[in-house]
Amino acid sequence: MNGTSEGPAPAADLGPSAITDSDEGLAPRAGRTEPPAYRSVFTTAPLAMAVVDAEGLVVSANDSLGSLLGTDPETLAGSVAADLVDLASDAGTWHAYREVLRGHRSRLRCTRRLKRADGHSLWAQVTVEPLAGSGGEGHGDSEGLLLSVADVSARRELQARLRHLQMHDPVTRLPNRALFFERLTAALEAESYENGGTGRIGVCYLDLDGFKAVNDTHGHRVGDRLLAAVAERLTRCAEEAAQARSGPPLVARLGGDEFALLVEDSTGTDQLADLAGSVLAALQPPFELCDRRLSVTASVGVVERHTAGTTPTALMQAADTTLYWAKADGRARWTLFDPERNANRMTRQALAATLRPAIERGEFALEYQPLVGMEDGRVRGVEALIRWNHPQFGVLAPNRFIALAEEDGSIVPLGRWILRTACHQARRWQLAHPDEPPIFVSVNVAVRQVWDSDLVADVAHTLEETGLAPELLQLELTESAVMGSAGRPLQVLKALSDMGVHIAIDDFGTGYSNLAYLSRLPVSVLKLDGAFVRGFQYEAAVSEAAGAGTGAGSGEGAGTGTGTGASAGEGAGVANPADEVIVEAMVQLAHRLGLTVTAECVETSDQASRLRRIGCDTGQGWLYSRPVAPDRISALLGSGPAGVQAGVGNP
């Protein structure tokens, strides 16, 4: 007979035998006659039982056992007891049974699947224990065993139904999260792939796009029917994608509008990509539900890898990350897991986690890039550029971490530190060069600083603390941040301007360019975006620009900016005469509004000449100096225009 052992009984079931000395008549003994009363009880007992001798052969069986097995109980006498209840089908159960037979174990209890004489099967709980007087556990003089068999088919069926309900989603009837992870865990165990198979595994993790809108608009009843309809289409996709060896992928609903398809013994990323593509295609036709025509798309994250060394948590984290990428990339698409992209994400998370502590540990430093007068070549001011001296990733430019700082709010304390440090340094330069006209310092300000901090109070406190005159401080905001400002931002800008602080619009010409609104803002400086200046690269300047080197150029991004600017070689030879016309018009407009103009990304002397002819006031770029430490600025101030022209600020 075929069966499955549930193993020996737990310790609680291994107590002394329930058969007492007065029950000895149940087992035939030499020279003794079995009392009729006990024989009658044994024969008519509702519990199926048999007496087994020391050799493992059935001595007698009662009517209940015959009925249970579908045979005459008298024909069971002399049969091998272990064969009747399938105790020899696995080594563990067989060993435990032999131990009981020898008297070295007090009881064996297991569950077996038995086959009746008529071919029907049943689940039975089998108990084997010594008869009274056998000596019990530890005695080798066992004279026989009592075998009892209880039909537990109904209980097993109930347990199976309860497990099905526990492991399946009631809305879609698909396996739920618990069953999915159970199957995933089993698939990743070494035994499942060491004995054959590809040793690989894949997951398509999908989320319905816009499902919340369906629920909110049409109600949860329609939403549930949509989920069930989606489940049907996913199941068909899985069946069509079934491999002869591994069968169809497991389709599960993980919760909400999230589904997953688990591919065991996958053959590579192509198989998962084809499956993801078929899923998207299957969901494309509209759904006809409740007299409504509903359309839904899905974003799918695809992960495929070796099973060795993979854990369920790691695999699903990768799938979740990839699903997020699919959403971020535009939805209604599938995206394959990219280790390099994930490494960048992990780096980004690591930077975000250490931003605030880095401020306290003093890991940030400022460099300064000169702003030079176009007419006389003298340094008029400097722009403060922040660097993060990260202990693990080295020196980081602002485009690596400023966006993170704005997201988590650490831009406020970081911006406050930049402002205070830059103003202290500007004051030191002023005191160190009393015979030179003082230079201003320009500091970028993020929009979140305006909203989340008292920027006006911070600036006033810093100027008072450092002794720097307000007119020597310039605050830069991007064009997109300033244009359309109303309420608090506009009030802050006006208060700062009334204080005497200069307000500059950075990267002007690439954002809203709302000229009408510009006239109503308290702005004193426009900084032309370097994209216009690069259009000045005419043939005469190509060779000069090519020799200027590569790297991060002017306009690299201010203290709290995010841009990295452009190198001199990046735009070399790209001539666009229209840029010069546009720049000339913007300079004339700015001057009519009483504003000064700074050109970013000035990399060649030819660009500088043309900007000077147009009327640009100041220039900033590698032609004059790359961002440098404070002592290099001191050298520039001491050398005058000749130092700038000689490139003292460029190593």
Side-chain angles (χ1 to χ4, degrees), residues 221-435:
R221 175 171 165 270
V222 175
D224 286 350
R225 292 197 176 185
L226 177 59
L227 291 174
V230 168
E232 290 179 3
R233 294 191 185 182
L234 294 180
T235 301
R236 284 199 298 270
C237 282
E239 292 171 349
E240 293 169 0
Q243 301 287 323
R245 178 171 41 80
S246 59
L250 173 71
V251 184
R253 182 190 178 199
L254 301 188
D257 57 351
E258 296 179 356
F259 297 83
L261 289 86
L262 176 64
V263 182
E264 300 179 47
D265 287 331
S266 58
T267 58
T269 55
D270 288 345
Q271 179 189 3
L272 271 294
D274 292 342
L275 178 59
S278 66
V279 165
L280 295 180
L283 297 180
Q284 205 166 35
F287 293 83
E288 302 289 345
L289 300 170
C290 304
D291 299 326
R292 295 175 176 86
R293 188 179 178 88
L294 302 175
S295 296
V296 67
T297 60
S299 300
V300 186
V302 179
V303 181
E304 200 276 343
R305 59 178 56 171
H306 286 287
T307 50
T310 299
T311 65
T313 300
L315 185 67
M316 293 311 295
Q317 282 180 343
D320 185 62
T321 297
T322 313
L323 172 60
Y324 172 80
W325 293 343
K327 291 277 190 184
D329 291 344
R331 303 189 176 195
R333 68 192 64 219
W334 63 267
T335 301
L336 184 65
F337 181 76
D338 181 359
E340 183 177 350
R341 185 174 180 180
N342 187 58
N344 292 334
R345 180 186 67 88
M346 298 296 290
T347 300
R348 179 180 172 89
Q349 290 179 344
L351 292 178
T354 55
L355 251 174
R356 288 183 183 271
I359 301 173
E360 301 172 359
R361 290 193 297 262
E363 295 178 3
F364 293 97
L366 293 183
E367 291 184 346
Y368 301 88
Q369 187 170 32
L371 287 87
V372 178
M374 301 297 293
E375 290 295 334
D376 56 12
R378 301 186 70 90
V379 177
R380 300 293 180 81
V382 293
E383 181 178 359
L385 303 168
I386 191 168
R387 301 288 185 266
W388 185 356
N389 297 312
H390 197 282
Q392 179 180 357
F393 302 113
V395 179
L396 303 179
N399 65 325
R400 294 287 303 277
F401 58 87
I402 288 299
L404 297 175
E406 292 186 9
E407 288 176 9
D408 70 2
S410 58
I411 190 67
V412 173
L414 181 60
R416 193 175 289 126
W417 177 87
I418 294 169
L419 177 66
R420 185 172 61 253
T421 304
C423 289
H424 272 292
Q425 184 58 60
R427 179 58 175 161
R428 280 194 289 269
W429 284 323
Q430 183 180 7
L431 297 176
H433 301 275
D435 298 332

Side-chain angles (χ1 to χ4, degrees), residues 504-520:
I505 298 180
D506 196 16
D507 300 329
F508 184 77
T510 60
Y512 294 96
S513 299
N514 188 331
L515 302 180
Y517 206 86
L518 179 63
S519 64
R520 296 194 292 271

Side-chain angles (χ1 to χ4, degrees), residues 368-372 379 382 385 552-555 602-603 619-629 632-633 636 643-651:
Y368 301 88
Q369 187 170 32
L371 287 87
V372 178
V379 177
V382 293
L385 303 168
S554 67
V602 182
E603 313 294 353
Q620 178 182 359
W622 275 27
L623 174 65
Y624 308 112
S625 172
R626 66 180 63 189
V628 294
R632 300 297 293 273
I633 298 297
L636 283 176
V644 174
Q645 295 169 3
V648 173
N650 288 319

Side-chain angles (χ1 to χ4, degrees), residues 70-123:
T71 187
D72 186 349
E74 293 183 2
T75 64
L76 299 177
S79 301
V80 178
D83 293 343
L84 289 179
V85 290
D86 195 28
L87 297 181
S89 60
D90 68 83
T93 303
W94 174 248
H95 175 73
Y97 170 66
R98 299 292 297 172
E99 289 290 290
V100 177
L101 197 62
R102 296 189 183 102
H104 298 161
R105 188 186 187 110
S106 65
R107 178 188 293 178
L108 165 66
R109 176 172 291 165
C110 60
T111 301
R112 318 300 292 173
R113 187 174 180 86
L114 307 180
K115 183 173 290 187
R116 291 165 46 90
D118 59 7
H120 290 88
S121 297
L122 61 96
W123 285 99

